[in-house]
Amino acid sequence: MSDKFAQLILEGKTYTFPVYEGSYGEKAIDISTLLKQTGHITLDRGYVNTGSCTSDITYLDGKAGVLDYRGYAIEELAENCSFVEVAYLLLHGDLPNEQELMEYRDLMSQYALIHEDMIHFFDHFPPNAEPMSILSTMVNSLHNFYPELTTHPDPTETFDSITARLLSKVRTIAAFSYKKSKGHPLIYPRYDLNYCENFLNMMFDTPTRPYKILPEVVSTLNKLLILHADHEQNCSTSTVRLVGSAGVSLYASIASGINALWGPLHGGAAQEVVEMLEGIYADDKDFEKYIRKAKDHSDPYRLSGFGHRVYKTFDPRAQIIKKSCDETLAALNVSDPLLDVAKELAERVRNDDYFVSRNLYPNVDFYSGIIYRAMGIPTNMFTVMFALGRLPGWLAHWREMIGNKESRRIGRPRQLYIGPTRRRFIPLGERK
Ligand code: CMC
């Protein structure tokens, strides 16, 4: 119960609504009874002001540039944890002890293979198939191969099995789809390798040229996955919750999240950024031309990798990635001219009134593509990398939604109808 209230005066009548506070004093007016009390709905395009649930997974302060998972600062998690530890934290609410981590890793190793029949699916995609489309198709199909675990309405007992299975299999699917796209033989997961090592090995090892797993690459990949692991009610996570609220299987909900993430305004931005930087580089680094285009509202062009719905200051994830970018390229002995293009673009934007007045700073996707390139990950797989990272977040939110009686109601926004009012039906032959 709340002891604070907000009053709304509408057509001379006063209505009262409870006001709730979050852990850091953030305030929300609970309008659940608005329609019942007043006959009005709210109109909030793009859900800029609408909280769809309460959540105890991730805290984000967009004005201060703060991001915490379950109360832990993203900077500390990225510096000190493995991705699997962070996945466990998001899913369970607490960091694992050594025994718990070992057991969870063990589960992931057990589930790392995909059913051999699923491998035939890859053969029937055209050679240029989009990796995100393959990923969502395959994840949706997991339902047919492993249906038993998602039919339980409250899968608390089997939740570790489900999440370990998905985290592990999605990684295998991502690497297999790359191998298939190259026409190379598949490299199977290995029990002795950790999450990131296994992924890199499945991606890049070949029977003729063994892949050398470099600790610097493993450490950077680990960091990138942690930074992407959750970001509260973003478009794909909200999709997972919304689709899941209809009672479909977890696999169907996650496949929907993958599809939402694919968009260039969301997870697809890293690919767009690299393509944009390549374009600027190829155009004699004519920065001003692209900045001008992005500022021109009659041109749909935008500078990818800048701006964020919630951050109105530096995205803390971008700060960490920027630092990693220099270190990783140096460790790999890679010199990428796109990094210089990126740095100069960021510098020009930082001093441009249009971007400054709109609080448009580099976001998480601005530098991540440059690192993935240096690792050898092809551009069209960058969003798949984002999906691998975001998976624990989607799973944690799905579980929270399923387990919470309030937010478990089917998601069903309202609308303001502005179409024609009822009119006389005209039979086919009489229509002009
Ligand atoms: N380039 C040029 N102008 C921009 C940009 C940009 N990248 N982003 C926003 N603006 C302008 C926009 O035109 C608007 O101007 P005005 O107020 O004059 O109409 C103002 O800034 C506010 O933008 P908005 O579109 O209302 O903001 P939003 O919160 O609806 O959109 C966004 C957020 C991330 C979709 C948007 O900033 C964008 O399109 N950025 C480029 C794509 C991108 O990098 N996406 C990755 C986001 S981070 C990964 C993730 O978590 O999804």
Side-chain angles (χ1 to χ4, degrees), residues 42-61:
T42 52
L43 188 58
D44 183 17
R45 294 181 177 90
Y47 308 124
V48 175
N49 309 284
T50 298
S52 59
C53 59
T54 56
S55 177
D56 59 14
I57 301 171
T58 286
Y59 173 70
L60 200 172
D61 179 342

Side-chain angles (χ1 to χ4, degrees), residues 107-365:
L107 265 184
M108 288 183 60
S109 294
Q110 272 178 47
Y111 289 132
L113 288 171
I114 57 169
H115 196 292
E116 284 288 306
D117 286 350
M118 289 190 79
I119 290 169
H120 302 305
F121 290 11
F122 291 114
D123 298 335
H124 302 287
F125 287 104
N128 299 332
E130 289 272 357
M132 284 299 271
S133 152
I134 298 178
L135 187 65
S136 68
T137 307
M138 298 297 276
V139 169
N140 222 3
S141 306
L142 286 172
H143 176 81
N144 303 312
F145 288 87
Y146 310 96
E148 65 283 2
L149 292 177
T150 54
T151 47
H152 200 291
D154 181 8
T156 313
E157 276 175 50
T158 51
F159 192 67
D160 271 357
S161 310
I162 297 175
T163 56
R165 181 172 289 201
L166 260 163
L167 287 166
S168 206
K169 290 194 190 316
V170 168
R171 171 191 57 178
T172 305
I173 291 169
F176 279 12
S177 69
Y178 172 66
K179 284 293 191 198
K180 280 283 179 185
S181 74
K182 301 273 287 178
H184 287 176
L186 300 181
I187 302 293
Y188 281 81
R190 276 172 37 187
Y191 209 89
D192 58 319
L193 298 180
N194 72 28
Y195 185 92
C196 292
E197 290 168 346
N198 236 325
F199 175 71
L200 291 165
N201 192 61
M202 283 192 277
M203 285 283 289
F204 299 122
D205 192 45
T206 70
T208 48
R209 197 158 52 97
Y211 176 69
K212 190 162 181 283
I213 302 171
L214 295 177
E216 293 88 352
V217 176
V218 174
S219 151
T220 305
L221 176 60
N222 183 62
K223 204 174 268 184
L224 284 170
L225 295 178
I226 291 174
L227 295 175
H228 284 91
D230 192 41
H231 213 233
E232 48 117 301
Q233 310 308 319
N234 56 85
C235 179
S236 56
T237 303
S238 299
T239 301
V240 169
R241 292 182 86 123
L242 187 66
V243 172
S245 77
V248 295
S249 82
L250 172 61
Y251 300 118
S253 305
I254 298 295
S256 307
I258 291 170
N259 285 326
L261 188 73
W262 191 359
L265 297 188
H266 191 11
Q271 175 172 347
E272 299 275 319
V273 168
V274 165
E275 286 165 1
M276 170 187 79
L277 297 174
E278 283 169 343
I280 297 176
Y281 183 70
D283 203 357
D284 284 336
K285 299 196 206 164
D286 190 350
F287 291 98
E288 279 320 305
K289 176 173 153 192
Y290 291 90
I291 291 177
R292 213 170 33 247
K293 266 167 82 62
K295 293 187 330 191
D296 176 359
H297 279 10
S298 64
D299 186 332
Y301 183 82
R302 280 189 169 194
L303 287 187
S304 287
F306 289 90
H308 197 276
R309 169 60 62 80
V310 187
Y311 292 118
K312 298 304 163 202
T313 179
F314 286 100
D315 177 340
R317 303 167 301 172
Q319 302 279 78
I320 300 171
I321 293 182
K322 185 177 175 220
K323 194 162 158 261
S324 256
C325 206
D326 287 316
E327 290 167 2
T328 311
L329 266 59
L332 290 173
N333 210 7
V334 168
S335 129
D336 188 343
L338 290 197
L339 181 56
D340 296 329
V341 177
K343 283 183 176 169
E344 179 153 1
L345 182 63
E347 192 53 30
R348 286 178 185 239
V349 161
R350 205 162 72 90
N351 295 310
D352 189 302
D353 259 4
Y354 172 94
F355 292 91
V356 173
S357 63
R358 289 170 178 76
N359 298 310
L360 302 171
Y361 295 88
N363 59 46
V364 67
D365 283 329

